[in-house]
Amino acid sequence: MGTNYYRIPTEAEMEAKRRALVLKMSIVELTPEYIEQRFATPIKDSYDYESPWDRFTHKTLIHLGKRSGGWKFCWNFHDNKYYSNKEELLAFIRSGRVVNEYGEQQPVEEFIEMALDWGEPDGLVVNEEYEKQKLAENSNTYIHGPKYWDRDVDGLRVSSSTEFS
């Protein structure tokens, strides 16, 4: 069992998003067609649609990573969408607030310290050594291969996946 952590916007950022949502909803057309579309409008240069609520919630809950007993903290780099190295990651975290999967706010610096220290120095990492060890323990173990191994980014354990549970 582990705990997931997320970056959420500051109160000021959320207040600005709320004002924009209220303004948008105050001028929205209440036609049957628009209601049926859930007030969604086309996204420029795309075939997709976006509702005011989609806009309000966009980038409000960004998964940072997960801690699990026996493992090093596992960071989620989202295919480098928000950050691509340790320095950018820490700046991104510090630009907002941190909550765990239970909605409990974590002091940002305490979270950073915990995550950087979690499982150090010898916590588990999914890599060739780990898979060889698992195979030696049980010949029925499925070997995923290098595509699924964790990456090392500036000394951080970074998941090869962006989907966590």
Side-chain angles (χ1 to χ4, degrees), residues 65-81:
K66 181 175 187 172
R67 77 174 190 193
S68 299
W71 293 83
K72 289 186 178 183
F73 191 91
C74 192
W75 295 96
N76 185 347
F77 266 46
H78 301 274
D79 294 325
N80 298 334
K81 185 175 181 178

Side-chain angles (χ1 to χ4, degrees), residues 29-128:
E29 295 179 40
L30 301 176
T31 65
E33 178 185 24
Y34 205 44
I35 293 168
E36 188 278 327
Q37 294 175 26
R38 299 196 169 290
F39 307 103
T41 54
I43 299 173
K44 185 179 179 184
D45 299 326
S46 169
Y47 292 111
D48 295 326
Y49 284 76
E50 179 179 64
S51 75
W53 186 254
D54 294 338
R55 190 77 187 119
F56 177 71
T57 60
H58 184 68
K59 294 185 182 179
T60 57
L61 189 67
I62 298 170
H63 186 252
L64 295 171
K66 181 175 187 172
R67 77 174 190 193
S68 299
W71 293 83
K72 289 186 178 183
F73 191 91
C74 192
W75 295 96
N76 185 347
F77 266 46
H78 301 274
D79 294 325
N80 298 334
K81 185 175 181 178
Y82 307 107
Y83 37 82
S84 60
N85 59 50
K86 185 176 181 178
E87 182 180 333
E88 291 172 359
L89 166 69
L90 296 179
F92 180 77
I93 295 169
R94 288 180 174 122
S95 72
R97 298 178 286 174
V98 175
V99 296
N100 64 24
E101 64 187 274
Y102 310 107
E104 302 164 334
Q105 188 169 336
Q106 310 291 305
V108 171
E109 294 304 322
E110 286 180 26
F111 164 75
I112 290 171
E113 183 178 342
M114 176 281 299
L116 294 177
D117 291 344
W118 191 263
E120 292 297 336
D122 56 359
L124 296 172
V125 173
V126 177
N127 57 17
E128 182 178 18

Side-chain angles (χ1 to χ4, degrees), residues 136-161:
E137 292 172 3
N138 178 356
S139 61
N140 294 325
T141 300
Y142 179 74
I143 300 299
H144 296 288
K147 178 180 176 183
Y148 299 97
W149 292 346
D150 295 330
R151 298 180 295 131
D152 180 287
V153 176
D154 300 330
L156 303 175
R157 174 186 172 218
V158 175
S159 177
S160 61
S161 174

